[in-house]
Amino acid sequence: KEEKIVSINCRNAVRDSLHDPSNSEFDDYEHFYFKREKTNRFLVQVTGRAKNGFGALRKITVDCTVLKTDTGNYFVPNLKQIY
């Protein structure tokens, strides 16, 4: 369950950061790379397709760091596009 919550938080953060989020398509979160780095720190690689500034749809991979607070909330402090 936590993997799903973290992965969906990442997907949403990536979508919100895109030039044209309404034309983005993401792979199913179950196909994202997921790693628990520490008790309260996760790394997810979000994959999908997004339009660039020229209107071309291209594949993307984004590293997403998620932290879990002491109160149980999740937040995304860092996104880094790698492809």
Side-chain angles (χ1 to χ4, degrees):
K1 180 182 179 195
E2 188 167 52
E3 181 175 345
K4 179 180 180 179
I5 292 168
V6 169
S7 296
I8 289 173
N9 271 297
C10 278
R11 183 197 63 203
N12 293 344
V14 170
R15 179 179 295 143
D16 291 345
S17 74
L18 294 174
H19 172 74
D20 187 359
S22 63
N23 285 307
S24 60
E25 303 168 1
F26 292 96
D27 298 332
D28 190 80
Y29 76 87
E30 294 173 342
H31 296 201
F32 296 166
Y33 172 81
F34 177 89
K35 179 181 179 186
R36 178 187 296 269
E37 294 184 323
K38 297 180 182 177
T39 304
N40 62 345
R41 182 183 171 99
F42 308 88
L43 172 67
V44 178
Q45 283 188 339
V46 176
T47 54
R49 286 152 302 287
K51 281 192 176 180
N52 63 18
F54 301 105
L57 195 63
R58 60 186 189 86
K59 292 184 103 175
I60 60 167
T61 301
V62 179
D63 277 348
C64 174
T65 303
V66 177
L67 300 178
K68 183 177 180 182
T69 65
D70 292 338
T71 60
N73 294 316
Y74 299 89
F75 71 98
V76 177
N78 187 39
L79 294 173
K80 181 180 179 185
Q81 186 168 337
I82 56 176
Y83 297 111

